[in-house]
């Protein structure tokens, strides 16, 4: 059976982009693949995280995964730092990946911004750790948003180079799974930048735990343009905010952009915003409610994570043992 790995960072409130670009798709895959889902806390600390908030964020993301429909009994759900094999394989991959490859990563450029000299080495080496996350389980498929495609290509490059360097056919060539409309949800304030947990403007995103009034307020304030909605998606060219809102609507109700354009052809944004608000609340309210219920029981979430870490470690250990043998690293005799 094919095996899926994917991760989400506990860097703050989960938002509609995480839901439509990742969590919802993960839930849809769970009966077709063996699934390993990871709360990637080691990735999170590549940028400053308050140690007082990180545990609660890790539990909240875990609650988000379950509330979005992942069955914690049939899927492996755990936090990355609980399985040291990720960090161990990442170090080996740091010795396989080339500086030139990492220099091309757009996420590093975006996140480091102008203050590149002051970015952490961890942020720079983030893609090596991501490759380790995936390959330590020899995962065959990774469901990712459009934004993570470049990192996945790097994972393939690392796997290929490892196999070539050591003359083995050890790591598989992992395939991306990019699913559905609105795989890249953009900020409500700026249709050219991604909806993101770390955007300083709360109004740029809809959080999975936002209540109905907050969702309505954020959508009311969402940036638009003065034109009525077009009859076809071609009419959205040069209108990034309109494209984003229609894409979100289409994803929330599982329709195509063509269908949504037909439905709202000629309408003003005021009418469309009422409809998208109603739809967003109907989808997110039950999920947000379930997240609140689950986060009120941290002991339950900790049990889910502990069981997941145990199951993940069982899969990772023989892979890492083989890697140590291939590389020629001695392990203490049993
Ligand atoms: N805006 C988005 N549209 C579609 N998919 C998205 N994802 C994130 N943002 C969007 C997908 O969600 C999964 C988990 O992402 P993540 O939280 O681990 O990292 P990220 O992509 O860096 O998300 P953020 O919100 O932008 O976090 P910060 O601000 O901390 O960097 C991934 O599959 C991602 O594609």
């Amino acid at each position: 059976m094919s095996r899926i790995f994917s991760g989400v960072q506990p860097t703050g409130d989960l938002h509609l982009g995480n839901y439509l670009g990742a969590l919802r798709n993960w839930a849809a895959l769970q009966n077709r693949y063996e699934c390993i889902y990871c709360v990637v806390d080691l990735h999170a600390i590549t940028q400053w995280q308050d140690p007082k908030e990180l545990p609660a964020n890790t539990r909240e993301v875990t609650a988000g995964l379950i509330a979005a429909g992942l069955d914690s009994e049939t899927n492996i759900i755990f936090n990355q730092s609980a399985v040291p094999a990720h960090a161990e394989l990442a170090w080996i991959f740091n010795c396989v990946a080339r500086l030139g490859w990492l220099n091309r990563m757009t996420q590093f450029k975006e996140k480091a911004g102008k203050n590149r000299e002051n970015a952490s080495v961890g942020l720079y080496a983030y893609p090596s750790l991501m490759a380790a996350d995936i390959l330590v389980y020899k995962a065959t498929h990774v469901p990712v948003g459009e934004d993570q495609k470049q990192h996945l290509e790097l994972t393939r490059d690392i796997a290929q180079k490892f196999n070539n360097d050591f003359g083995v056919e050890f790591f598989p060539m992992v395939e991306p799974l990019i699913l559905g409309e609105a795989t890249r949800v953009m900020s409500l304030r700026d249709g050219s930048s991604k909806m993101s947990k770390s955007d300083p403007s709360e109004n740029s995103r809809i959080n999975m735990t936002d209540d109905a009034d907050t969702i309505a307020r954020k959508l009311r304030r969402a940036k638009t343009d003065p034109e009525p909605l077009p009859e076809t998606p071609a009419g959205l060219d040069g209108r990034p905010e309109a494209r984003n809102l229609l894409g979100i609507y289409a994803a929330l109700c599982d329709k195509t952009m063509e269908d949504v354009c037909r439905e709202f052809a000629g309408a003003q944004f005021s009418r469309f915003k009422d409809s998208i608000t109603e739809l967003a609340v109907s989808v997110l309210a039950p999920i947000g409610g379930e997240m609140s219920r689950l986060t009120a029981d941290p002991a339950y979430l900790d049990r889910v994570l502990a069981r997941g870490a145990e199951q993940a470690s069982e899969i990772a250990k023989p892979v890492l043992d083989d890697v140590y043998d291939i590389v020629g690293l001695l392990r203490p005799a049993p």
Side-chain angles (χ1 to χ4, degrees):
M1 193 187 197
S2 305
R3 179 178 287 160
I4 277 185
F5 176 93
S6 205
V8 56
Q9 298 187 77
T11 39
D13 294 323
L14 289 173
H15 52 71
L16 192 60
N18 296 131
Y19 178 67
L20 293 176
L23 308 193
R24 184 179 76 148
N25 299 329
W26 299 357
L29 294 167
Q30 62 189 329
N31 299 321
R32 288 193 277 142
Y33 296 87
E34 179 189 359
C35 297
I36 303 176
Y37 291 121
C38 187
V39 185
V40 288
D41 47 8
L42 295 177
H43 282 292
I45 62 166
T46 58
Q47 293 187 294
W48 171 250
Q49 303 300 320
D50 186 335
K52 291 193 212 67
E53 289 173 12
L54 188 55
N57 284 342
T58 301
R59 292 190 185 104
E60 188 177 88
V61 168
T62 308
L65 296 175
I66 299 170
L70 286 179
D71 183 342
S72 64
E73 296 288 327
T74 53
N75 299 285
I76 300 178
I77 299 174
F78 68 105
N79 60 308
Q80 191 181 23
S81 59
V83 180
H86 291 243
E88 291 180 66
L89 186 58
W91 180 256
I92 293 171
F93 285 169
N94 279 338
C95 304
V96 173
R98 304 290 94 179
L99 276 180
W101 299 357
L102 294 178
N103 284 340
R104 286 195 286 275
M105 295 297 111
T106 49
Q107 181 174 289
F108 176 75
K109 290 180 198 158
E110 279 166 21
K111 290 202 168 174
K114 293 197 181 76
N115 208 358
R116 195 184 154 103
E117 291 297 306
N118 203 30
S120 74
V121 175
L123 186 66
Y124 187 74
Y126 185 115
S128 288
L129 179 58
M130 180 167 156
D133 297 337
I134 296 164
L135 294 171
V136 83
Y137 302 106
K138 291 194 171 177
T140 54
H141 294 82
V142 176
V144 284
E146 190 67 36
D147 56 314
Q148 290 294 329
K149 251 177 105 176
Q150 193 186 33
H151 284 167
L152 204 60
E153 275 156 25
L154 191 93
T155 298
R156 290 164 62 93
D157 291 341
I158 290 176
Q160 183 86 60
K161 186 165 190 308
F162 180 95
N163 289 348
N164 287 348
D165 285 354
F166 295 100
V168 289
E169 278 303 318
F170 186 71
F171 286 120
M173 288 302 119
V174 61
E175 297 290 340
L177 281 176
I178 295 185
L179 309 152
E181 296 268 8
T183 49
R184 189 167 164 85
V185 178
M186 310 309 278
S187 158
L188 298 181
R189 308 297 307 158
D190 170 7
S192 63
S193 62
K194 182 176 97 134
M195 185 177 284
S196 175
K197 299 187 214 88
S198 50
D199 191 317
S201 165
E202 264 293 320
N203 287 328
S204 69
R205 65 184 159 266
I206 294 175
N207 295 325
M208 283 171 64
T209 47
D210 280 346
D211 61 23
D213 288 347
T214 310
I215 294 174
R217 180 171 42 78
K218 288 179 176 175
L219 284 169
R220 227 177 11 252
R221 290 188 186 167
K223 191 172 166 199
T224 53
D225 58 48
E227 302 298 317
L229 292 169
E231 283 170 23
T232 65
L236 292 167
D237 290 350
R239 303 176 65 186
E241 284 81 18
R243 180 181 292 282
N244 185 39
L245 288 176
L246 286 171
I248 291 173
Y249 187 94
L252 282 169
C253 63
D254 273 326
K255 287 187 179 162
T256 63
M257 286 291 265
E258 282 77 11
D259 285 342
V260 177
C261 286
R262 223 172 291 126
E263 190 177 336
F264 292 99
Q268 297 299 323
F269 273 103
S270 51
R271 191 186 125 213
F272 174 73
K273 280 186 171 182
D274 287 345
S275 301
I276 192 175
T277 299
E278 198 182 318
L279 179 61
V281 169
S282 73
V283 173
L284 290 181
I287 299 173
E290 180 64 358
M291 280 178 75
S292 306
R293 194 185 69 75
L294 289 166
T295 44
D297 188 357
Y300 166 75
L301 295 170
D302 289 353
R303 281 199 301 281
V304 168
L305 291 171
R307 190 179 59 235
E310 205 175 302
Q311 292 168 318
S313 297
E314 268 170 35
I315 304 172
K317 185 175 182 313
V319 177
L320 194 67
D321 283 347
D322 285 347
V323 169
Y324 272 56
D325 280 346
I326 291 167
V327 176
L329 300 169
L330 284 181
R331 294 274 216 189

